Amino acid sequence: MTGWFELDYSINGQYRFTLKAANAETILSSENYISKDAAEDGIASVQKNALLNERYERETSMNGRPYFNLKAGNHQIIGTSQMYASEQARDAGIASVKTHGASGTIKDRTA
């Protein structure tokens, strides 16, 4: 089984998406979008950029935990990972986004 995207409402009623791995674990979360079309454009951007190494920005949080951002060609953040316990785990998360990010499956929970 491959991964999929889930399109849903955020807490404030805007739209957001997550990318799920085959085991249903969230591997990438988007920002909030005002419109459903904008969130769907964000999904399309993940599908387009997920395989490109240069689109991943490896970061470390203020408490020392590694995470990453996936960026579009215009350098805007498309999605952010969870916080990881190690740099190796973060790199495995990037590999998972590369594996599942091209998925055409979108589970629309807003319908």
Side-chain angles (χ1 to χ4, degrees), residues 7-28:
L7 180 60
D8 210 341
Y9 292 109
S10 64
I11 294 171
N12 63 2
Q14 293 184 336
Y15 297 89
R16 66 187 319 260
F17 66 84
T18 55
L19 175 61
K20 302 279 188 169
N23 64 1
E25 181 179 339
T26 298
I27 52 177
L28 193 72

Side-chain angles (χ1 to χ4, degrees), residues 1-4 21-24 99-100 105 107:
M1 183 177 175
T2 62
W4 66 91
N23 64 1
T99 298
H100 302 293
T105 302
K107 296 182 180 180

Side-chain angles (χ1 to χ4, degrees), residues 2-93:
T2 62
W4 66 91
F5 291 92
E6 286 187 1
L7 180 60
D8 210 341
Y9 292 109
S10 64
I11 294 171
N12 63 2
Q14 293 184 336
Y15 297 89
R16 66 187 319 260
F17 66 84
T18 55
L19 175 61
K20 302 279 188 169
N23 64 1
E25 181 179 339
T26 298
I27 52 177
L28 193 72
S29 299
S30 77
E31 65 182 357
N32 291 334
Y33 295 93
I34 293 172
S35 73
K36 185 175 181 176
D37 286 342
E40 289 170 337
D41 289 346
I43 290 171
S45 188
V46 171
Q47 292 165 329
K48 177 182 175 183
N49 290 287
L51 288 175
L52 303 173
N53 289 325
E54 65 272 17
R55 299 291 195 245
Y56 291 90
E57 180 179 72
R58 290 163 174 83
E59 298 285 350
T60 303
S61 68
M62 291 179 65
N63 67 358
R65 296 183 68 190
Y67 70 99
F68 65 87
N69 292 313
L70 175 61
K71 291 189 164 187
N74 64 2
H75 306 289
Q76 284 192 293
I77 295 173
I78 309 166
T80 301
S81 72
Q82 66 181 9
M83 299 293 169
Y84 292 97
S86 68
E87 291 180 3
Q88 293 81 8
R90 176 192 60 205
D91 292 344

